[in-house]
Amino acid sequence: MTTPLTLGFSPCPNDTFMFYPLVHGLVDTGGLSYRERLEDVETLNQLALGSELDVSKVSYHALGHIRDDYALLRSGSALGRGCGPLLVSAAEVNPTDLAGKTIAVPGRFTTALLLLRLFDPSLHNFIEMPFHEVMEAVLSGNADAGLIIHESRFTYQGYGLHKLLDLGEWWENETGLPIPLGGIVARRSLGKETVSAVERALGRGVEYARSHPDEAARYICEHAQEMSAEVCAAHINLYVNDFSADLGDEGVQAIRCLMERAEQAGIVPRSEAPLFF
């Protein structure tokens, strides 16, 4: 019996939907087993930065800092169009007028913050907090604006907040490419054979989840207790797509473009390590 690999992913519906078949043994795992750890995406970023997980979901921003130790897998990504982070506020203002203002962000190594810094390098007054606290920080006046991700994209209008900027839309207009938000990485020290086995098993899991969409409903709801079924379904439909099954050439191009821009801006260190194993 092999030692289980530590597997980190978030309790967000798109992750629990995709990983359900893998952690519950519904697909061929190639003889590997997993010990799951569900954490907020920024917590996962920090754990990967400390090399504490064998396999993990991470923000693509964080990937820029861990490429020497972790290889990207071709399955399991959150990458697409019309799904980018939103900048919101309690009043309608021009995002170019936010210089010097406080902006609540969902973590230092989130792709959301990377995109915002690429959009306007002059912005710097960020307050880091868990993603589900960002809207409240804006509503309470503790932040002038907030950077929202995940299900907040579907609920912010109900709180009376105004969209100032869609960073996914900005990225798509700038590059013509889909926006890479988060991906799955595996520790290079596991060796090529194990990493390849993980990648194949994850690919099978994503395909199984997409062809059996109702099987994981209870598991998803257990980890998304404050989310309505409608928001949960919308979340999965938006963030789980063909890129989740396989990045393909366009997905890889989008990731390379993001890494290059982040390197040029001095936000992530340059690396000679290949993106994949």
Side-chain angles (χ1 to χ4, degrees):
M1 187 72 177
T2 60
T3 302
L5 299 176
T6 51
L7 172 64
F9 55 97
S10 82
C12 291
N14 61 306
D15 280 355
T16 50
F17 176 80
M18 289 191 294
F19 279 105
Y20 176 81
L22 189 64
V23 299
H24 288 85
L26 299 176
V27 294
D28 178 7
T29 65
L32 299 173
S33 60
Y34 299 90
R35 186 170 72 251
E36 61 190 310
R37 179 165 178 178
L38 277 70
E39 300 283 0
D40 170 84
V41 64
E42 181 64 1
T43 301
L44 294 173
N45 290 338
Q46 297 287 349
L47 289 169
L49 283 159
S51 297
E52 295 184 40
L53 296 170
D54 294 318
V55 181
S56 185
K57 174 73 170 285
V58 297
S59 300
Y60 273 110
H61 182 182
L63 174 65
H65 294 269
I66 62 174
R67 286 176 287 178
D68 290 346
D69 295 324
Y70 285 89
L72 179 64
L73 304 187
R74 294 180 181 273
S75 298
S77 278
L79 187 152
R81 300 183 186 275
C83 60
L86 305 179
L87 187 65
V88 301
S89 71
E92 293 189 66
V93 298
N94 193 310
T96 59
D97 295 331
L98 290 175
K101 302 293 187 180
T102 55
I103 302 175
V105 300
R108 178 182 174 189
F109 295 100
T110 56
T111 306
L113 182 53
L114 169 58
L115 290 169
L116 185 60
R117 293 178 65 187
L118 291 174
F119 168 77
D120 188 348
S122 72
L123 299 177
H124 64 277
N125 198 0
F126 305 122
I127 308 172
E128 298 173 25
M129 61 187 65
F131 80 91
H132 60 273
E133 296 178 9
V134 169
M135 288 197 295
E136 180 56 39
V138 177
L139 290 167
S140 66
N142 290 328
D144 297 304
L147 195 54
I148 60 172
I149 58 176
H150 300 327
E151 63 268 18
S152 300
R153 182 182 180 90
F154 307 105
T155 60
Y156 74 93
Q157 291 173 309
Y159 291 86
L161 296 173
H162 301 274
K163 180 176 70 174
L164 307 182
L165 175 68
D166 184 327
L167 283 162
E169 186 177 275
W170 168 78
W171 168 267
E172 289 173 41
N173 290 336
E174 277 275 305
T175 67
L177 295 167
I179 176 64
L181 298 172
I184 311 301
V185 296
R187 198 197 306 273
R188 294 184 189 274
S189 62
L190 294 173
K192 185 174 180 60
E193 183 178 343
T194 297
V195 171
S196 296
V198 172
E199 185 173 63
R200 289 192 297 270
L202 178 55
R204 294 186 196 105
V206 174
E207 293 293 358
Y208 184 97
R210 296 181 77 194
S211 59
H212 302 78
D214 298 326
E215 283 193 25
R218 181 178 296 181
Y219 181 71
I220 293 168
C221 289
E222 284 175 1
H223 297 289
Q225 295 176 359
E226 298 179 11
M227 206 181 303
S228 70
E230 292 75 18
V231 170
C232 209
H235 190 114
I236 293 169
N237 290 335
L238 182 62
Y239 295 108
V240 180
N241 52 39
D242 289 344
F243 290 115
S244 305
D246 188 292
L247 288 169
D249 292 341
E250 189 179 33
V252 173
Q253 184 182 357
I255 296 161
R256 293 194 193 283
C257 181
L258 183 66
M259 292 296 103
E260 288 169 5
R261 291 188 174 219
E263 286 179 354
Q264 290 166 2
I267 298 173
V268 305
R270 295 188 180 274
S271 173
E272 298 301 321
L275 193 59
F276 304 99
F277 202 103

